[in-house]
Amino acid sequence: NRESGVGLNTPSQKMFGCSTRFSGIICGGVISGLGFGINSSLGLFLKPISDDQGFGREVLSMAIALAVLLNGFTSIFWGALNDRFGVLLTCGSGATLVFASLFLASFASSSAAFMVTIPFQGAAGGAISFGVTLGAVARLFGDHELAQRSRALGLTTSLGSLGVVVVPPVAQALLHAYHWRPALRLVGLGTLVMLPMALVLARAGRARSNDDDEKGVEIEKGEEEEEEE
């Protein structure tokens, strides 16, 4: 095992081939979970924001609905960006934009401001969704490692699904402890945790590419030796 430098002794190494891949899988799942959880938490802010701003709940409801629609539409763009430039740029950009939109939304004081910032969060959220992370995790494995790839995708999906269970209770606790504005900022700060995780996932992908390059060189050398003989 070139990437870890040790034998396949740990459970993660036996299941996924090396510890580097396992770290990438965990980070991919956590990124998706945070993104999924943040989207699921926005509804908790509906009542406190509407009551504080004095407009009907239909304003923020419409903003959240637009965020969900844009999340689906922009996933195509983020997927193409991921294929072209990699998961680090894609998830890093998405996490930063989600943070910026939530941070700006925490200062909003009109219905128009919420109708801009909240949907923007949904559009940026496509970069930290399953469409991007599952693709990045799948690329950690070759075509001859179908069983390991299936286990990795299952683990990533399971971790991502936990986001809807973990993040909303945290957001609710923040709303109980603080005004909705600082609570929304703190939720937004949570997206920045994705930046180092995207780096780990990207490094795992590069390690796999380097390993494939080394194997390709070895195969070419072997074929040349056979031709000489």
Side-chain angles (χ1 to χ4, degrees):
N1 186 342
R2 295 187 185 90
E3 296 176 23
S4 61
V6 296
L8 301 179
N9 297 320
T10 65
S12 64
Q13 291 172 342
K14 290 178 180 178
M15 291 181 66
F16 304 112
C18 69
S19 57
T20 304
R21 285 178 179 176
F22 184 67
S23 300
I25 293 164
I26 296 298
C27 288
V30 174
I31 290 172
S32 298
L34 288 173
F36 194 22
I38 289 172
N39 287 335
S40 303
S41 300
L42 292 179
L44 298 174
F45 290 86
L46 181 62
K47 186 178 186 302
I49 291 178
S50 299
D51 292 346
D52 183 59
Q53 296 300 303
F55 48 65
R57 298 183 187 181
E58 63 275 7
V59 173
L60 196 57
S61 297
M62 178 61 72
I64 294 175
L66 288 174
V68 174
L69 289 174
L70 288 174
N71 186 280
F73 289 141
T74 58
S75 293
I76 300 172
F77 163 75
W78 290 115
L81 189 69
N82 182 39
D83 291 337
R84 179 66 178 86
F85 297 103
V87 68
L88 179 59
L89 178 63
T90 305
C91 288
S93 300
T96 303
L97 291 174
V98 170
F99 164 72
S101 63
L102 293 178
F103 189 77
L104 291 174
S106 70
F107 291 97
S109 57
S110 65
S111 59
F114 284 106
M115 292 297 292
V116 173
T117 54
I118 297 299
F120 186 76
Q121 177 274 330
I128 50 178
S129 63
F130 283 123
V132 172
T133 56
L134 289 180
V137 170
R139 284 194 291 270
L140 298 179
F141 301 89
D143 293 335
H144 61 289
E145 299 172 306
L146 296 180
Q148 292 177 333
R149 179 189 294 171
S150 297
R151 286 194 293 266
L153 293 176
L155 179 58
T156 304
T157 304
S158 298
L159 289 173
S161 300
L162 283 175
V164 73
V165 179
V166 176
V167 179
V170 174
Q172 185 66 63
L174 292 173
L175 283 170
H176 280 300
Y178 306 102
H179 188 261
W180 70 265
R181 292 186 186 275
L184 189 59
R185 290 170 202 147
L186 290 173
V187 171
L189 282 173
T191 62
L192 299 182
V193 177
M194 302 179 194
L195 297 179
M197 292 185 177
L199 179 60
V200 172
L201 181 55
R203 285 182 174 176
R206 285 196 296 268
R208 191 259 163 151
S209 298
N210 293 336
D211 190 50
D212 285 347
D213 292 340
E214 291 178 8
K215 289 179 180 179
V217 172
E218 290 177 358
I219 292 173
E220 291 178 359
K221 289 182 179 179
E223 292 176 349
E224 291 176 358
E225 292 176 357
E226 290 178 358
E227 291 177 357
E228 291 178 356
E229 293 177 357

